[in-house]
Amino acid sequence: MKKIYMLAAAAILAAGAQAQTLSFTLEGTPIVPGSKVSFNDGNVDLENGEWEYLPEIMLSSDINGNVNLVATCTTGQNIMVCCGGTCTPGTRVEKNNLQLTAGTPLNIEFHYMGYAEDFDNIKVPENVTTEISAEYVGNPASKVEFVLVCNSTEGGSVIGVYEKAAQLTSVNGSLEYSVEDSCTLALYSQAGERVLTTEVEGNGAISTVGLAKGVYVYTLGTKSGKLIVK
């Protein structure tokens, strides 16, 4: 009987040694699974009615494996998740078969950005709530999840002001650029579609006539960012 107990204990220890554990951090602070966390360090450009929240959310694994991640904005705003690959926008974003390396955190590159339609009444939406979860492929029992609230009223909002990118701005129906060397400018819609590619050098402007109003992601040489076309 004693031998049976010893074998059982050994089996439990072996199972523990193979345990698959996923974990999230927010700005370097571990997130307790199932908890709600707030991120209020957003940026807003009051002159142009634009705002963005870019919390650093890292996903870590204790083994090498593939992971499925889901982010759902339950308050209905569009979010975007990149995970080191194509940026995917929407109210619900899925990133499947992410390859995680044990001990190497993956930045999920979460974005919440928006702009005001009514410039006479600019108000950043409050309590923008997103449920974020991850699990190993084929192992639902490994699922970890938490709730992220941007611009939370529970802890008070913290809004900063950001300067426009020195290299590229959206002004009066055009993109104005200022670069030292010749480079490629590419513009992408929130759906990840490339809508513009051109070579630029020095100072100049490119017409945005024909582009739909909204948020775009750009690359300019080795730099990247976002801008609003109104």
Side-chain angles (χ1 to χ4, degrees):
M1 183 65 70
K2 183 177 180 180
K3 184 177 181 180
I4 293 176
Y5 285 135
M6 291 178 64
L7 289 173
I12 293 173
L13 288 173
Q18 298 299 318
Q20 298 179 351
T21 303
L22 294 168
S23 60
F24 286 103
T25 61
L26 172 63
E27 300 294 316
T29 300
I31 299 174
V32 177
S35 66
K36 178 187 293 186
V37 296
S38 298
F39 183 79
N40 291 333
D41 191 15
N43 302 307
V44 63
D45 180 345
L46 293 175
E47 180 181 352
N48 293 286
E50 305 168 6
W51 56 83
E52 62 181 3
Y53 288 79
L54 308 174
E56 184 185 69
I57 302 172
M58 310 295 285
L59 174 61
S60 298
S61 170
D62 64 352
I63 63 169
N64 297 336
N66 290 1
V67 172
N68 293 335
L69 182 141
V70 179
T72 304
C73 185
T74 57
T75 47
Q77 287 81 11
N78 276 322
I79 56 175
M80 187 161 62
V81 178
C82 304
C83 292
T86 302
C87 294
T88 305
T91 56
R92 176 184 169 85
V93 177
E94 295 187 23
K95 289 290 187 178
N96 296 320
N97 289 308
L98 299 172
Q99 295 183 348
L100 265 64
T101 301
T104 303
L106 170 70
N107 190 338
I108 75 169
E109 297 175 88
F110 178 93
H111 304 253
Y112 163 54
M113 303 179 293
Y115 66 99
E117 294 284 356
D118 181 4
F119 272 56
D120 294 326
N121 185 29
I122 297 174
K123 183 177 176 59
V124 180
E126 297 175 337
N127 301 315
V128 176
T129 303
T130 303
E131 297 177 350
I132 300 176
S133 66
E135 64 183 58
Y136 291 106
V137 175
N139 185 5
S142 66
K143 182 177 181 179
V144 291
E145 56 189 338
F146 71 98
V147 175
L148 172 70
V149 182
C150 292
N151 198 21
S152 170
T153 57
E154 294 181 8
S157 300
V158 178
I159 299 296
V161 176
Y162 71 89
E163 297 180 355
K164 286 185 173 295
Q167 298 81 20
L168 188 68
T169 57
S170 177
V171 180
N172 298 327
S174 66
L175 298 180
E176 296 184 356
Y177 59 84
S178 177
V179 294
E180 294 183 359
D181 301 314
S182 176
C183 62
T184 301
L185 165 64
L187 195 64
Y188 299 85
S189 70
Q190 290 197 73
E193 177 186 2
R194 185 164 59 184
V195 297
L196 182 152
T197 305
T198 186
E199 294 296 316
V200 297
E201 184 176 7
N203 302 319
I206 300 171
S207 173
T208 57
V209 174
L211 290 179
K213 296 180 180 180
V215 180
Y216 290 83
V217 175
Y218 73 83
T219 58
L220 185 61
T222 60
K223 299 182 181 298
S224 63
K226 67 93 186 178
L227 54 82
I228 306 289
V229 174
K230 302 184 181 71

